[in-house]
Amino acid sequence: MRVTVLSGAGMSAESGVPTFRDVETGLWAKVDPYEISSSDGWRRHPEKVWAWYLWRHYMMKSVGPNDGHRAVAAWQDGAEVHVVTQNVDDLHERAGSGQVHHVHGSLFSFRCDRCGVPYDGPLPAMPEPVESVDPPQCRCGGLIRPDVVWFGEPLPSDQWDRSVEAVSRADVAVVVGTSAVVYPAAGLPDLALAHGIPVIEVNPEETPLSDRVTLSLRETSATALPGLLQRLPALLG
Ligand code: BV8
Ligand code: ZN
């Protein structure tokens, strides 16, 4: 069986990683996640954007995959599993998933925002979150940025193409922990439905997808995913 998982920030919530929505209440209440994750935000105040990403990069060292990530990795024992994730963390990989497509990039690689050369130089230590840190400079005079996709930027075509293929070839798609508002990623469940592929949503809250998917489970990812594949025949009838 071919399973394609479409995951968002809710997948990492039970690992202690704030979602974009939590960000409005938690640690970063005073920043607008949509503004700080945009190319305009980077142009306006790169030091604030750099501090946010550096903190999120460091925070990943203190968290680990949860039962949801581990369940998706375990599904590989009996199925062909592709993970298409909007998340920039590495928790799916750390849980053991082999086919992970990051449509919005990653916190773990950096590049120059002018000449594009990859940066693997030293990163300043960040024991606790600070509001502003000057990003390193490239020899060309450009600034070092995270390899994430900001609002207003195109998605990496190789990751996107592999994601569209993984959705189009799936026997079932499982959409987990996403508010389904950011395009084009939010259009992938509809692509599955258009191919007649059953789509199961796992989210404790309703989303714009909920009334379109085959089945919407009001459960958290760490609760629903461990037994989900075994439940599929009964759930899909
Ligand atoms: C592009 C990376 C074109 C950085 C992110 C007007 C209309 C339509 C579209 C647009 C428009 N204006 C602009 C656009 C396009 C725009 C867009 O869609 N905007 C939206 C806001 C309307 N999209 C773009 O700009 C994209 N690029 O279109 O380029 C182009 C083409 C050619 C040339 C130039 C340009 C780029 C979008 C990528 C932005 N980058 N992330 C980073 O991570 O820092 S987006 C970021 O937010 C995430 O990656 C994710 O995609 C998005 C939403 O986050 P979610 O993952 O859904 O998480 P969220 O917090 O929102 O929700 C959590 C969910 O989990 C909730 O539903 C909650 O109930 C649930 N949950 C909570 N706990 C649990 C749980 N679920 C399960 N278990 C739990 N325990
Ligand atoms: Zn450069």
Side-chain angles (χ1 to χ4, degrees):
M1 174 169 52
R2 290 190 293 252
V3 182
T4 295
V5 176
L6 303 172
S7 69
M11 183 84 211
S12 301
E14 284 154 294
S15 294
V17 180
T19 68
F20 272 71
R21 267 133 200 73
D22 302 346
V23 163
E24 284 145 22
T25 53
L27 177 69
W28 295 88
K30 54 184 175 302
V31 301
D32 165 9
Y34 289 100
E35 197 274 338
I36 206 164
S37 310
S38 69
S39 38
D40 290 344
W42 174 253
R43 259 192 297 283
R44 262 197 301 278
H45 40 67
E47 69 291 340
K48 284 198 174 56
V49 177
W50 177 253
W52 193 51
Y53 280 95
L54 205 52
W55 170 246
R56 289 172 67 195
H57 172 87
Y58 272 96
M59 187 175 61
M60 291 316 296
K61 296 181 191 306
S62 56
V63 299
N66 62 55
D67 288 345
H69 297 104
R70 280 189 283 273
V72 169
W75 293 350
Q76 294 172 122
D77 297 343
E80 181 190 327
V81 184
H82 283 261
V83 178
V84 174
T85 187
Q86 299 170 77
N87 299 338
V88 292
D89 65 47
D90 59 350
L91 294 175
H92 280 297
E93 290 89 340
R94 285 163 59 186
S97 285
Q99 298 273 23
V100 183
H101 311 301
H102 284 272
V103 292
H104 290 163
S106 164
L107 281 175
F108 297 90
S109 66
F110 300 87
R111 69 173 193 266
C112 170
D113 72 349
R114 182 182 292 178
C115 71
V117 70
Y119 174 82
D120 52 11
L123 292 171
M126 188 177 257
E128 77 286 326
V130 292
E131 199 170 322
S132 166
V133 176
D134 287 336
Q137 280 224 340
C138 173
R139 277 190 298 279
C140 80
L143 296 177
I144 301 306
R145 58 164 285 177
D147 255 342
V148 298
V149 179
W150 280 324
F151 285 102
E153 293 187 325
L155 278 56
S157 49
D158 56 339
Q159 300 284 339
W160 178 253
D161 295 346
R162 276 205 284 273
S163 300
V164 168
E165 192 191 348
V167 168
S168 311
R169 294 179 60 249
D171 296 310
V172 60
V174 182
V175 189
V176 195
T178 181
S179 54
V181 294
V182 174
Y183 284 82
L188 289 173
D190 291 310
L191 176 70
L193 291 168
H195 280 77
I197 297 165
V199 176
I200 298 178
E201 178 184 45
V202 173
N203 195 320
E205 290 172 24
E206 188 148 346
T207 72
L209 268 182
S210 298
D211 56 9
R212 295 206 295 274
V213 295
T214 316
L215 183 67
S216 189
L217 301 174
R218 284 289 156 275
E219 300 174 41
T220 72
S221 47
T223 309
L225 295 181
L228 186 63
L229 280 204
Q230 291 78 352
R231 288 165 66 190
L232 277 188
L235 288 171
L236 296 176

